[in-house]
């Protein structure tokens, strides 16, 4: 069995790199189907968020599995890039490290804002998409279901999520508050109608904002979000006009190209008369051309600009870290033990069956030569044969268990199959 992950996150790649490797939901589905076409025995799940792109692959047959270089090439080619352009920004994890990493991610311990709630739903959505596309399998089902269980344990058994602060709330609380003294008189424009936008609306409403507008490509979805907050939704064609009147903009679309270029914004700028505008661009790829931040009165922040504010968030939860990490480590060990049992179970069963067949044959041959044997003595002979077989099998099986639990790559298991000819 083999587990593998390649990807990048805010820990090791700047937003310029992450936005080039990001997947839209449709792209993620296409990539998983293409990988299955190239490697039929490989399971896959793609987790792509504003802060990370991670490609999880698994197979019960490690001999028919794409190598690290093949996966990097696949990722690069899908995004029409050269492998050398991304190689240094792509991290690799294998085996137990994949399990531990996914558990940590799902529990929001690896997030830019530790304890943020959205990542678990994103992990669930990625897994559900892979399942719907028939790209998940035995191993990915097990590890992602276990990750969801771990996240719930961390949430219920620690305070890591207590008074949790989302990326939008940190951004508005830290950055917008340094620009505006009050929010009850501000006009807020939400671009996009996804979970991030909804979470932002909740936070801004608590801060006193009453004037909300929503612009979304799908007007019906925009209206649904707006109704929940007594706001007004507008079609995409109204975007420029709403930008002119806004004080605060939060953009969270899934567009693959900037929705507002520098040239387009110059038309907006001319109509605003240098009135202060706070733009929080939470999209990956970015929705606003970075050059817009150079315009007079414009305060443009991208996801990477949250790093310092999020570090404060992390420190505030440091006391809960050991408890959360212990849960992750315990669940990782449990998962790996179960995985090892599944990996060795069929081989051990076949070995014991083979030994039992040999024992029965030899016992039958011996007892046929001892007609009229006392039944009690016959039972003792049978027990002696059982003890002999068990004692002979105990050392190799103990060694096999220790070898697998130590994280070895299955060399002893393969040797055992070859020595006793246990292949199917």
């Amino acid at each position: 069995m083999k587990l593998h992950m390649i990807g990048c996150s805010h820990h090791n790649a700047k937003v310029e790199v992450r936005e080039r490797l990001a997947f839209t939901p449709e792209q993620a589905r296409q990539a998983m189907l293409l990988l299955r076409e190239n490697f039929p025995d490989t399971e896959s799940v793609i987790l792509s968020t504003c802060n990370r792109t991670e490609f999880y692959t698994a197979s019960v047959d490690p001999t028919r599995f794409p190598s690290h270089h093949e996966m990097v090439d696949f990722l690069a080619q899908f995004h029409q890039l050269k492998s050398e352009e991304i190689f240094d920004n792509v991290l690799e994890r294998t085996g137990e490290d994949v399990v531990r990493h996914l558990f940590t991610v799902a529990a929001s311990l690896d997030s830019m804002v530790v304890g943020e709630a959205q990542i678990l739903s994103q992990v669930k959505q990625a897994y559900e998409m892979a399942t719907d596309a028939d790209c998940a399998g035995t191993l990915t089902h097990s590890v992602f279901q276990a990750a969801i269980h771990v996240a719930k344990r961390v949430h219920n058994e620690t305070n890591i999520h207590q008074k949790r602060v989302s990326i939008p709330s940190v951004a508005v609380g830290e950055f917008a508050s340094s620009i505006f003294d009050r929010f009850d008189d501000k006009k807020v424009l939400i671009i996009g109608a996804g979970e991030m936008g909804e979470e932002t609306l909740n936070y801004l409403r608590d801060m006193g904002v009453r004037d909300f507008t929503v612009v979304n490509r799908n007007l019906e979805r925009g209206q649904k979000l707006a109704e929940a907050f007594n706001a007004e939704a507008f079609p995409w064609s109204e975007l420029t006009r709403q930008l002119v009147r806004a004080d605060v903009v939060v953009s969270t679309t899934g567009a693959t190209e900037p929705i507002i270029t520098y040239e387009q914004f110059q038309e907006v700028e001319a109509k605003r008369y240098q009135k202060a505008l706070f733009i929080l661009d939470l999209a990956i790829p970015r929705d606003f051309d970075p050059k817009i931040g150079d315009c007079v009165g414009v305060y443009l922040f991208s996801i990477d600009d949250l790093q310092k504010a999020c570090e404060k968030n992390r420190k505030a939860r440091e006391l809960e870290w050991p408890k959360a990490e212990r849960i992750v480590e315990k669940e990782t060990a449990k998962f790996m033990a179960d995985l090892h049992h599944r990996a060795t179970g069929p081989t051990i069963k076949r070995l014991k069956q083979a030994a039992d067949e040999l024992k029965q044959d030899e016992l039958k041959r011996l007892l046929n030569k001892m007609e009229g044997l006392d039944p009690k003595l016959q039972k003792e002979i049978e027990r002696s044969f059982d003890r002999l077989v068990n004692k002979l099998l105990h050392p190799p099986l103990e060694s096999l268990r220790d070898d697998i639990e130590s994280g070895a790559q299955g060399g002893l298991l393969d040797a055992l199959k070859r020595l006793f000819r246990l292949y199917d």
Side-chain angles (χ1 to χ4, degrees):
M1 296 183 181
K2 186 160 185 176
L3 286 166
H4 185 258
M5 187 280 289
I6 65 167
C8 64
S9 72
H10 60 282
H11 293 298
N12 70 299
K14 293 183 178 180
V15 64
E16 291 85 357
V17 176
R18 301 201 308 273
E19 65 187 5
R20 299 181 75 189
L21 295 178
F23 290 86
T24 65
E26 183 54 35
Q27 286 175 330
R29 179 183 176 84
Q30 291 173 0
M32 289 187 294
L33 291 174
L34 183 59
L35 184 73
R36 188 180 66 185
E37 183 179 320
N38 294 339
F39 300 94
D41 296 320
T42 298
E43 309 168 20
S44 64
V45 178
I46 295 177
L47 175 62
S48 185
T49 74
C50 57
N51 283 325
R52 70 182 67 246
T53 293
E54 294 176 345
F55 208 140
Y56 292 85
T57 50
S59 178
V60 295
D61 184 0
T63 64
R64 304 176 69 179
F65 192 76
S67 67
H68 173 64
H69 284 279
E70 286 174 321
M71 284 303 301
V72 173
D73 289 343
F74 179 88
L75 184 61
Q77 290 169 11
F78 187 88
H79 288 289
Q80 299 181 346
L81 301 169
K82 294 180 180 179
S83 298
E84 52 267 28
E85 292 182 71
I86 67 171
F87 194 86
D88 291 339
N89 294 108
V90 173
L91 295 178
E92 174 189 30
R93 286 184 169 83
T94 59
E96 183 175 335
D97 288 338
V98 175
V99 177
R100 182 179 293 104
H101 175 73
L102 179 59
F103 288 3
T104 302
V105 168
S108 189
L109 302 179
D110 195 61
S111 298
M112 183 178 287
V113 178
V114 176
E116 57 101 355
Q118 192 177 20
I119 185 62
L120 179 56
S121 66
Q122 291 169 331
V123 169
K124 289 179 180 178
Q125 289 166 7
Y127 168 53
E128 288 168 1
M129 179 183 293
T131 301
D132 291 343
D134 198 26
C135 292
T138 303
L139 281 176
T140 42
H141 284 313
S142 297
V143 73
F144 273 83
Q145 288 171 6
I148 294 168
H149 167 72
V150 172
K152 291 179 179 178
R153 276 201 64 188
V154 170
H155 181 276
N156 293 331
E157 298 175 29
T158 76
N159 292 325
I160 209 82
H161 295 79
Q162 194 174 73
K163 296 181 181 178
R164 58 176 176 263
V165 187
S166 66
I167 287 176
S169 64
V170 166
V172 175
E174 293 289 334
F175 293 117
S177 295
S178 67
I179 298 167
F180 301 118
D181 293 328
R182 53 187 293 190
F183 287 88
D184 57 343
D185 61 343
K186 298 298 181 291
K187 298 177 177 63
V188 175
L189 169 63
I190 304 294
I191 308 175
E195 290 182 18
M196 190 81 80
E198 183 173 354
E199 190 173 354
T200 306
L201 282 171
N202 272 311
Y203 184 73
L204 289 170
R205 183 171 61 181
D206 290 343
M207 293 186 70
V209 174
R210 295 294 175 263
D211 190 343
F212 293 104
T213 56
V214 178
V215 173
N216 190 54
R217 290 188 189 277
N218 185 318
L219 181 57
E220 185 177 346
R221 285 192 63 190
Q223 289 172 333
K224 185 177 180 181
L225 176 62
E227 286 172 4
F229 292 87
N230 195 28
E232 191 171 3
F234 292 90
W236 195 255
S237 59
E238 286 283 309
L239 177 58
T240 300
R241 191 171 74 87
Q242 295 305 318
L243 279 172
V244 171
R245 69 182 293 274
D247 299 302
V248 177
V249 176
V250 180
S251 194
T252 64
T253 79
T256 57
E257 300 289 339
I259 61 172
I260 298 294
T261 64
Y262 179 71
E263 290 72 23
Q264 289 172 320
F265 189 78
Q266 286 181 315
E267 298 179 15
V268 174
E269 184 183 26
K271 299 176 182 179
R272 290 184 56 84
Y273 307 107
Q274 298 185 4
K275 185 176 69 169
L277 176 63
F278 173 76
I279 303 174
L280 178 60
D281 189 349
L282 299 179
I284 295 291
R286 287 170 290 185
D287 283 337
F288 284 76
D289 187 327
K291 289 191 295 184
I292 293 172
D294 297 330
C295 296
V296 176
V298 175
Y299 302 87
L300 173 61
F301 296 91
S302 71
I303 200 79
D304 280 6
D305 296 318
L306 302 178
Q307 192 68 49
K308 289 184 180 179
C310 293
E311 190 60 30
K312 293 180 183 178
N313 173 277
R314 181 183 296 272
K315 289 180 179 178
R317 288 161 171 75
E318 279 183 352
L319 293 176
E320 292 297 307
W321 265 87
K323 189 186 298 183
E325 287 180 331
R326 284 195 295 272
I327 293 173
V328 169
E329 287 301 321
K330 184 176 180 179
E331 291 289 347
T332 299
K334 178 183 176 183
F335 181 87
M336 294 306 297
D338 291 342
L339 192 64
H340 296 150
H341 176 73
R342 278 186 282 167
T344 60
T347 298
I348 292 173
K349 183 178 180 180
R350 289 199 299 272
L351 178 59
K352 288 183 175 180
Q353 286 176 339
D356 188 65
E357 288 173 3
L358 289 174
K359 179 198 73 175
Q360 293 296 340
D361 288 345
E362 289 303 312
L363 186 60
K364 183 178 180 180
R365 188 180 66 82
L366 176 62
L367 294 178
N368 284 340
K369 293 181 179 182
M370 304 175 70
E371 293 183 6
L373 186 67
D374 186 302
K376 291 184 179 180
L377 184 56
Q378 180 176 327
K379 287 291 183 183
E380 185 59 38
I381 292 173
E382 290 175 355
R383 284 194 290 269
S384 295
F385 270 66
D386 288 337
R387 287 194 296 270
L388 177 61
V389 170
N390 289 337
K391 287 180 179 181
L392 287 172
L393 291 182
H394 182 74
L397 294 182
E398 281 291 295
S399 297
L400 177 62
R401 187 196 66 186
D402 294 342
D403 186 62
I404 292 294
E405 290 183 356
S406 70
Q409 298 300 311
L412 192 57
L413 179 62
D414 187 59
L416 195 69
K417 291 178 180 179
R418 292 170 61 192
L419 284 170
F420 290 93
R421 298 181 180 180
L422 298 175
Y423 289 104
D424 292 330

